[in-house]
């Protein structure tokens, strides 16, 4: 089937489904953080003038190449392995380089005891390291974009945070010691996706990064000079060249700024345009508008197949209860719609590794047939559609090479989850004529494979809540939250220019207080006087007072 037959109209429409469409001279699709961290290091080593690191979180304590540090703490490339030390060395060795690091303030406050001192130390290392915490958002919202831009020549944009709990390889080996967090604990296997983009699209993402910096700090950053050499890492393979990239955003209403929901509009347009398959990898399935759009397609006889890859469960009990009870209701609704449309066109899975341990899915991938691919930071939940800040990139195929890229990438992801070769997925898909049929043929009874997600049993109240908009922050009156949260957020905004100093001082005072309390208690225990023994037993005489033991007859 030709491209024009599949696509009645363009999906990427600036001002509606995207902010901008820009050309990439080359693109690489990066799966899982082991590869991303390695290529990010190599790219930053090539930075000349300006690098913007915009993220939900950056943990400066992590090793970017886990388990490969020498006695001096250097990775095999000769540079410091820990992120904070690496960035400090980067500025020291690049005399004209300025780093601008912007992270959501909530992530910093949640880890103040472990990250504040490291963060403050990096900020003080050089005047060319600029670090800010972004509280420019409604109370209860967060900044969720994950963007790195180097000299406006190269950009990384997707779903991977440079923080704890993210590093893993595509093998997701059981008990891999390299998945150690700074506290020594091993995090669970983790699946994630991002992109490397070179060319005018990197300039556009650089402009977006400078807009975010200005919103957070009030400072206007200069555009880097345009004669910097390419920062593309030498060992990073190019997946495709010369392709149009759509950049879509989410940003909430805030202080007179209008709602930006390009990502939601793009999701909905892509679902409506699907002919054969919709393949999804996402952390959540909890967005009302997207669920309704998928329901409509499943209820159509002969509509597209829909395969969704989610994590088995959330990372905390409260999150699992909140988000995955909603997911259970979404699954019920999608299955009901599937039955109305004839059945057999919807399934939802979670991946597990060779030991049967579930792999946490943090990727945000959305594929329609073989002509549309979207990768970014947005979750399929209501927050990502209009309450948090998000950034996704999308390819709408206009050539056979671009369609081949999307086909091969989808099969590569499925092969990773099913523990087989991409060629096996391609063969099964062609022979069966069905995405879900191919998955069924390649599933294994144990070990590395995909497993069906079973929805929780919900009571009528849980169903009613999941079907309502009461849990959607976009429909709260003026995005209102509890007064306590609004007061806390107002306080954060008031001290925004002094976030890092306050965090560092707070961490020092907390540590000092703990030490002082320990010393105080210890000294008191050591100085506590011991009760002296009596020299002789007490002598009872006739004059010794003895209380009467006679009972009162009135009682």
């Amino acid at each position: 089937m030709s491209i024009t037959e599949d696509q009645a109209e363009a999906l990427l429409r600036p001002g509606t489904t995207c902010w901008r469409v820009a050309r990439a001279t080359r693109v690489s699709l990066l799966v899982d953080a082991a590869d991303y961290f390695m290529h990010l290091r190599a790219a930053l080593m090539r930075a000349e003038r300006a690098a913007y690191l915009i993220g939900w979180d950056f943990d400066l304590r992590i090793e970017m190449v886990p388990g490969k540090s020498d006695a001096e703490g250097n990775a095999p490339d000769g540079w410091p392995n820990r992120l904070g030390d690496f960035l400090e060395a980067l500025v020291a060795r690049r005399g004209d380089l300025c780093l601008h690091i912007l992270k959501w303030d909530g992530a910093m406050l949640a880890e103040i005891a472990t990250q504040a001192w490291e963060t403050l130390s990096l900020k003080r290392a050089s005047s060319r390291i600029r670090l800010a915490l972004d509280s420019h958002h409604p109370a209860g919202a967060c900044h969720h974009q994950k963007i790195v831009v180097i000299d406006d020549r190269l950009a990384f944009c997707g779903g991977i945070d440079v923080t704890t709990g993210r590093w893993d390889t595509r093998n997701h080996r059981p008990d891999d010691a390299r998945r150690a967090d700074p506290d020594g604990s091993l995090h669970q296997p983790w699946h994630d996706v991002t992109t490397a983009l070179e060319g005018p699209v990197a300039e556009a993402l650089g402009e977006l990064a400078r807009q975010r910096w200005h919103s957070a700090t009030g400072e206007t950053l200069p555009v880097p000079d345009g004669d910097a050499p390419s920062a593309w890492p030498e060992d990073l393979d190019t997946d495709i060249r010369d392709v149009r990239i759509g950049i879509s955003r989410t940003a909430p209403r805030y202080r007179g700024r209008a709602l930006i929901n390009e990502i939601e509009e793009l999701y909905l347009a892509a679902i409506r345009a699907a002919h054969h398959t919709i393949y999804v990898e996402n952390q959540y399935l909890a967005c009302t508008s997207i669920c309704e759009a998928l329901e409509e397609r499943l209820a159509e006889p002969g509509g597209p197949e829909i395969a969704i890859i989610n994590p088995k469960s959330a990372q905390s009990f409260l999150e699992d209860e909140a988000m995955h009870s909603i997911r259970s209701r979404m699954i019920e609704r999608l299955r009901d719609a599937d039955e109305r449309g004839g059945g057999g066109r919807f399934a939802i899975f979670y991946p597990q590794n060779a030991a049967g341990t579930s792999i946490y899915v943090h990727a945000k991938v959305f594929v329609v047939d073989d002509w549309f691919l979207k990768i970014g930071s947005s979750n399929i939940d209501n927050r990502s559609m209009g309450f948090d800040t998000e950034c996704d990139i999308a390819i709408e195929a206009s050539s056979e090479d671009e369609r081949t890229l999307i086909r091969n990438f989808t099969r590569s992801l499925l092969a990773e989850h099913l523990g087989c070769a991409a060629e096996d997925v391609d063969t099964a898909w062609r022979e069966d004529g069905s995405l879900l049929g191919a998955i069924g043929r390649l599933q294994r009874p144990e070990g590395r494979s995909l497993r069906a997600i079973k929805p929780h049993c919900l009571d009528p109240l849980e169903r009613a809540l999941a079907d309502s908009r009461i849990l959607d922050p976009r429909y709260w009156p003026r995005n209102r939250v509890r007064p306590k949260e609004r007061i806390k957020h107002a306080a954060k905004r008031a001290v925004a220019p002094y976030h890092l100093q306050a965090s560092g001082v707070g961490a020092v005072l907390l540590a000092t207080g703990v030490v002082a309390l320990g010393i105080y208690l210890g000294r008191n225990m050591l100085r506590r006087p011991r009760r002296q023994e009596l020299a002789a037993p007490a002598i009872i005489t006739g004059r010794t007072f003895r209380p009467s033991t006679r009972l009162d007859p009135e009682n």
Side-chain angles (χ1 to χ4, degrees):
M1 184 175 288
S2 69
I3 294 173
T4 54
E5 289 175 323
D6 264 7
Q7 298 162 253
E9 60 177 301
L11 289 188
L12 296 174
R13 301 188 295 276
T16 304
T17 61
C18 66
W19 170 56
R20 191 171 296 178
V21 177
R23 189 158 295 278
T25 54
R26 49 181 165 177
V27 175
S28 183
L29 308 177
L30 300 171
V31 181
D32 296 320
D35 283 349
Y36 173 47
F37 288 179
M38 178 180 65
H39 294 307
L40 176 61
R41 283 174 67 88
L44 286 169
M45 290 177 200
R46 291 169 165 258
E48 293 284 341
R49 292 174 178 81
Y52 313 122
L53 288 79
I54 311 293
W56 179 81
D57 188 27
F58 296 96
D59 193 319
L60 303 175
R61 303 169 300 158
I62 66 168
E63 286 190 338
M64 300 183 76
V65 190
K68 295 290 186 179
S69 295
D70 62 17
E72 286 75 37
N74 293 329
D77 55 24
W79 290 66
N81 202 346
R82 294 203 333 160
L83 176 61
D85 297 335
F86 171 73
L87 295 176
E88 186 175 337
L90 198 65
V91 171
R93 301 186 196 184
R94 295 282 187 270
D96 296 325
L97 177 63
C98 291
L99 293 182
H100 294 85
I101 305 169
L102 183 65
K103 62 187 282 185
W104 174 48
D105 65 334
M108 181 69 182
L109 293 174
E111 301 291 339
I112 187 171
T114 56
Q115 293 195 34
W117 186 253
E118 299 269 354
T119 304
L120 192 60
S121 297
L122 178 64
K123 182 180 174 67
R124 290 178 171 175
S126 170
S127 61
R128 289 182 288 112
I129 298 177
R130 307 291 305 283
L131 202 152
L133 303 179
D134 196 344
S135 60
H136 192 80
H137 56 76
C142 80
H143 288 300
H144 201 239
Q145 296 170 341
K146 303 144 197 332
I147 306 168
V148 175
V149 185
I150 299 169
D151 293 328
D152 275 19
R153 300 293 305 276
L154 171 66
F156 297 91
C157 181
I160 305 180
D161 299 289
V162 188
T163 188
T164 57
R166 302 304 193 260
W167 189 95
D168 205 356
T169 68
R170 298 193 73 172
N171 290 327
H172 305 293
R173 285 167 40 191
D175 300 321
D176 192 335
R178 295 173 296 175
R179 286 200 298 270
D181 286 333
D183 63 2
S185 63
L186 292 184
H187 61 262
Q188 72 183 104
W190 194 276
H191 173 68
D192 227 328
V193 176
T194 192
T195 63
L197 310 159
E198 187 180 62
V201 66
E203 295 179 28
L205 288 168
E207 180 181 338
L208 181 60
R210 288 187 288 275
Q211 289 177 2
R212 277 285 312 278
W213 185 270
H214 182 268
S215 294
T217 68
E219 178 186 8
T220 300
L221 298 178
V223 178
D225 295 338
D227 59 348
S230 172
W232 192 271
E234 292 181 358
D235 58 351
L236 177 57
D237 293 334
T238 300
D239 290 320
I240 196 166
R241 294 179 181 271
D242 196 27
V243 58
R244 295 171 72 249
I245 302 291
I247 303 171
S248 298
R249 306 163 300 165
T250 295
R253 296 182 182 89
Y254 186 64
R255 296 194 170 190
R257 180 184 62 198
L259 171 70
I260 298 172
N261 67 331
E262 297 155 356
I263 288 174
E264 181 178 35
E265 293 293 339
L266 185 56
Y267 268 117
L268 298 177
I271 292 169
R272 288 192 297 266
H275 282 251
H276 310 294
T277 58
I278 296 174
Y279 175 75
V280 182
E281 292 188 359
N282 207 277
Q283 188 177 2
Y284 299 119
L285 178 62
C287 177
T288 306
S289 61
I290 293 177
C291 181
E292 290 173 351
L294 293 173
E295 280 184 277
E296 289 182 11
R297 300 310 314 274
L298 286 170
E300 296 175 16
E305 291 183 286
I306 299 173
I308 299 176
I309 312 297
N310 258 195
K312 181 180 182 181
S313 58
Q315 290 193 292
S316 69
F317 172 78
L318 290 177
E319 183 185 10
D320 198 53
E321 286 296 307
M323 297 302 295
H324 290 267
S325 62
I326 300 174
R327 178 178 73 177
S328 295
R329 178 55 181 154
M330 300 294 181
I331 293 172
E332 288 181 351
R333 291 170 54 180
L334 293 173
R335 286 179 176 173
D336 290 344
D338 185 28
E339 290 181 7
R340 295 197 303 273
R345 291 189 290 113
F346 168 71
I348 181 167
F349 307 95
Y350 70 88
Q352 65 179 32
N353 66 10
T357 303
S358 64
I359 299 168
Y360 194 80
V361 178
H362 191 260
K364 296 93 169 60
V365 177
F366 196 85
V367 184
V368 171
D369 300 327
D370 60 356
W371 56 266
F372 180 78
L373 169 65
K374 184 171 71 63
I375 296 170
S377 67
S378 68
N379 288 313
I380 298 182
D381 64 1
N382 294 323
R383 298 180 62 96
S384 288
M385 301 302 119
F387 195 57
D388 298 336
T389 55
E390 308 284 3
C391 183
D392 292 359
I393 64 95
I395 297 174
E396 185 178 8
S398 59
S399 70
E400 189 56 38
D401 285 346
E402 292 168 6
R403 297 185 78 141
T404 299
L405 168 74
I406 296 171
R407 278 197 301 269
N408 290 344
F409 185 61
T410 307
R411 284 152 178 75
S412 172
L413 292 173
L414 283 167
E416 175 181 338
H417 299 318
L418 292 164
C420 63
E423 293 77 11
D424 297 332
V425 176
D426 186 62
T427 299
W429 200 334
R430 282 188 290 103
E431 291 180 353
D432 199 275
S434 162
L435 166 60
L436 297 179
I439 293 173
R441 285 179 57 177
L442 295 170
Q443 279 180 300
R444 301 175 181 179
E446 57 185 24
R448 188 74 178 270
S449 194
L450 288 171
R451 293 283 177 267
I453 290 177
K454 298 177 181 179
H456 298 172
C457 294
L458 303 177
D459 59 40
L461 177 59
E462 289 174 319
R463 285 192 178 88
L465 287 173
D467 290 338
S468 73
R469 287 178 168 173
I470 195 171
L471 299 177
D472 187 343
R474 296 175 298 166
Y475 295 97
W476 297 346
R478 296 178 55 199
N479 287 335
R480 281 190 185 136
V481 294
R482 291 176 298 174
K484 177 182 176 182
E485 293 297 318
R486 295 194 68 83
I487 293 171
K488 183 172 71 173
H489 185 69
K492 288 195 300 180
R493 291 290 298 157
V495 301
Y498 316 104
H499 262 140
L500 294 174
Q501 290 85 346
S503 298
V505 172
V508 172
L509 291 176
L510 178 63
T512 303
V514 171
V515 172
L517 179 61
I519 293 173
Y520 172 78
L521 294 175
R523 290 171 63 114
N524 276 1
M525 290 180 66
L526 291 174
R527 291 181 175 181
R528 182 178 297 169
R530 299 175 64 183
R531 180 179 295 173
Q532 296 183 357
E533 297 181 1
L534 295 174
I539 301 174
I540 300 176
T541 68
R543 294 184 179 182
T544 302
F545 171 75
R546 299 192 191 100
S548 174
T549 58
R550 187 180 61 179
L551 296 176
D552 191 335
E554 295 183 0
N555 293 335

